[in-house]
Amino acid sequence: MAIDIGISPHKDILEAIERYYPKRDLEADLDSGPRIGEGLEVIPSVKKEEKEVQDLLKLTELPPVVRFTNSIIADAINLKASDIHIEPQKASVIIRYRIDGIMREIMKTDKHVHASLVSRIKITSNMDISIRRKPQDGKAQVRYRDKSYDLRVSIIPTSYGEKIAIRILDPRGAALHIDDLGLSEKPLRDLEKSIERPQGIILVTGPTGSGKSTTLYACLNKLNTPDVNIITVEDPIEFDIQGINQVQINPKAGITFAAGLRSILRQDPDIVMVGEIRDNETASIAFQAAQTGHLVFSTLHTNDAPSAITRLLDLGVEPFLISASLTAIIGKGS
């Protein structure tokens, strides 16, 4: 296309622009006359995963989902269960309680309730419902029949979906005395004599949910006076006890049982409680502490008291340390 070149005064060019391309007053258009946005709806761009999360959020507030979740927790509390397990299977969901240390199947329900049930528990436990392929831990507090209960929630992905384990903690357990443990007269006297010694190590053994931690807290309550320094290292801290310094395990921050125990021994403690002896390092430090003027409490995952000796030898504790430091072993039956 041929282009013709012409000459025009500057004033004429500006007038032509003004005539053919008039400048609009945008502010006036917005303030008066028909709104520029009327009839326009912005449709947010939502990714598939985000839409699924939004749908789950709506599900968690539905009355049937809320009632079903609440009924599971209330039923477990009524039955004095220590744990709730929600386990997805290929075509169903199994709900089991741990009662007196024994797992009991309570209910089998349809698989379609699983997603909403998991999401409801995540919401109440301050977890991220969009994360489904990584383990998560959370906690919640519920009130039932005018009593408060703490819930420690753990979620882990399995081949058929996310499995939930809920530990039910009654805060009143923090105020238990050794007289409330249900021991007969002679074992109770033996326990009282053992915890009154100035040094040594006292172990509580038994299967999961048998009451090991409750027994330790009862012993600490008996010894908790203003003239002693009691420090614990736990995972997790199950009960808050006034007058006792409690340290939470945090592997990401470098606080393991062994590292935590090593640190608290520099805090001039009289009495030390280690939540659990799991490895050689923790066991060695605990037994050395029991030889240097500290009274140490801890737990071992064995089925009975005699098995504790074998377990300690397996962990690499020297036999002479066991004979010199071990004051008592309390076996908790299932």
Side-chain angles (χ1 to χ4, degrees):
M1 183 178 66
I3 299 175
D4 295 330
I5 300 175
I7 299 174
S8 177
H10 182 262
K11 180 181 176 183
D12 293 344
I13 295 175
L14 293 179
E15 288 178 354
I17 292 175
E18 187 67 28
R19 184 167 60 253
Y20 294 108
Y21 302 101
K23 184 186 294 185
R24 295 184 58 190
D25 188 350
L26 187 58
E27 292 184 1
D29 288 339
L30 291 173
D31 292 336
S32 63
R35 293 287 179 178
I36 200 170
E38 284 183 353
L40 178 70
E41 180 183 359
V42 177
I43 301 175
S45 175
V46 180
K47 295 180 181 178
K48 184 180 178 181
E49 289 187 1
E50 292 176 354
K51 185 177 184 303
E52 290 177 356
V53 169
Q54 291 176 5
D55 292 342
L56 285 173
L57 280 172
K58 293 176 182 176
L59 272 177
T60 60
E61 300 302 327
L62 292 178
V65 176
V66 175
R67 282 197 300 268
F68 184 54
T69 307
N70 291 351
S71 66
I72 292 173
I73 296 172
D75 185 46
I77 293 173
N78 275 330
L79 294 175
K80 294 180 169 52
S82 62
D83 300 87
I84 302 170
H85 291 255
I86 300 172
E87 303 168 340
Q89 305 297 313
K90 187 174 183 179
S92 62
V93 178
I94 295 175
I95 297 170
R96 299 195 293 168
Y97 300 161
R98 186 179 295 279
I99 303 172
D100 295 329
I102 300 173
M103 293 288 286
R104 305 173 191 268
E105 184 174 323
I106 302 298
M107 183 191 312
K108 181 181 286 187
T109 186
D110 293 335
K111 185 66 178 285
H112 73 270
V113 306
H114 180 254
S116 56
L117 180 59
V118 171
S119 298
R120 177 64 188 173
I121 292 172
K122 283 183 177 180
I123 290 294
T124 57
S125 306
N126 294 315
M127 295 187 194
D128 189 340
I129 67 170
S130 66
I131 297 176
R132 302 174 201 170
R133 297 179 181 86
K134 293 181 181 179
Q136 291 192 76
D137 295 309
K139 58 184 178 180
Q141 190 174 64
V142 298
R143 183 178 294 277
Y144 181 63
R145 293 181 177 173
D146 296 326
K147 295 177 183 176
S148 295
Y149 298 85
D150 293 326
L151 306 180
R152 301 294 168 88
V153 184
S154 173
I155 295 182
I156 189 169
T158 68
S159 56
Y160 293 118
E162 292 175 291
K163 179 189 179 301
I164 302 175
I166 303 173
R167 170 65 57 91
I168 303 173
L169 300 172
D170 186 349
R172 292 170 299 168
L176 276 179
H177 193 270
I178 58 174
D179 294 332
D180 302 320
L181 295 177
L183 298 175
S184 56
E185 187 177 350
K186 185 179 184 305
L188 179 60
R189 286 200 311 269
D190 292 340
L191 176 58
E192 288 178 333
K193 289 179 181 177
S194 298
I195 67 176
E196 287 171 359
R197 295 188 178 185
Q199 69 178 44
I201 186 165
I202 297 172
L203 297 176
V204 183
T205 69
T208 300
S210 60
K212 298 187 296 296
S213 297
T214 302
T215 302
L216 288 180
Y217 281 115
C219 293
L220 293 181
N221 282 330
K222 172 75 172 178
L223 300 169
N224 188 14
T225 58
D227 56 341
V228 294
N229 179 20
I230 303 177
I231 306 180
T232 73
V233 54
E234 307 173 59
D235 183 28
I237 296 173
E238 296 193 1
F239 303 114
D240 294 324
I241 303 180
Q242 187 70 27
I244 292 180
N245 304 286
Q246 297 171 273
V247 178
Q248 170 68 51
I249 288 297
N250 185 358
K252 291 182 179 178
I255 305 176
T256 61
F257 275 119
L261 179 55
R262 191 180 292 107
S263 296
I264 65 178
L265 288 176
R266 294 193 286 268
Q267 292 286 320
D268 186 31
D270 299 295
I271 299 167
V272 173
M273 192 267 271
V274 186
E276 182 184 349
I277 292 179
R278 298 177 180 174
D279 51 45
N280 169 264
E281 188 179 9
T282 306
S284 298
I285 299 170
F287 273 83
Q288 289 169 12
Q291 282 282 289
T292 54
H294 303 92
L295 182 60
V296 180
F297 292 88
S298 190
T299 68
L300 268 181
H301 272 292
T302 60
N303 289 326
D304 50 41
S307 301
I309 304 297
T310 306
R311 176 66 177 148
L312 290 171
L313 292 171
D314 289 341
L315 288 173
V317 182
E318 296 291 343
F320 75 90
L321 271 179
I322 297 175
S323 61
S325 306
L326 191 56
T327 300
I329 303 174
I330 305 166
K332 301 294 292 183
S334 56

